[in-house]
């Protein structure tokens, strides 16, 4: 949730023409740590699944969260690169 908030704040500050660099480093840190933790969770659940439905479900949920996080980051990057026209 913190990474999502920081991504949103970074994009908003950049698109409004304000300084956003003070939010960029914490956003990258929180995002990378979150992805790393989800990756560790995914790997641990795949290894521990061994025919267990709970392990497979947990691994699938971790994979879905990783995909969602990458989508949000990609969308934020795309929106951050676009420049708003006057009057928008």
């Amino acid at each position: 949730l913190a990474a999502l908030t920081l991504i949103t704040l970074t994009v908003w500050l950049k698109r409004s023409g304000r300084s956003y660099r003070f939010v960029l480093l914490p956003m990258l840190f929180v995002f990378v740590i979150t992805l790393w933790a989800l990756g560790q969770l995914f790997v641990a659940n795949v290894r521990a699944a061994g025919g267990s439905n709970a392990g497979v479900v947990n691994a699938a949920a971790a994979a879905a969260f990783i995909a969602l996080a990458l989508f949000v980051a990609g969308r934020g990057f795309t929106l951050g690169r676009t420049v708003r026209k006057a009057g928008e």
Side-chain angles (χ1 to χ4, degrees):
L1 191 56
L4 179 61
T5 303
L6 289 170
I7 288 171
T8 304
L9 185 59
T10 303
V11 170
W12 176 73
L13 286 170
K14 184 170 190 229
R15 290 189 71 176
S16 64
R18 299 177 186 172
S19 177
Y20 63 93
R21 288 183 173 82
F22 69 95
V23 181
L24 189 61
L25 187 60
M27 183 266 300
L28 290 173
F29 176 77
V30 170
F31 188 74
V32 167
I33 294 300
T34 300
L35 281 180
W36 179 78
L38 284 170
Q40 292 292 322
L41 185 64
F42 175 77
V43 169
N45 280 302
V46 166
R47 287 183 182 160
S52 167
N53 285 339
V56 173
V57 169
N58 285 338
F65 283 132
I66 290 170
L68 183 61
L70 292 174
F71 171 76
V72 168
R75 187 72 177 136
F77 180 74
T78 303
L79 286 174
R81 293 193 64 184
T82 59
V83 178
R84 296 174 89 185
K85 296 178 183 175
E88 284 187 29

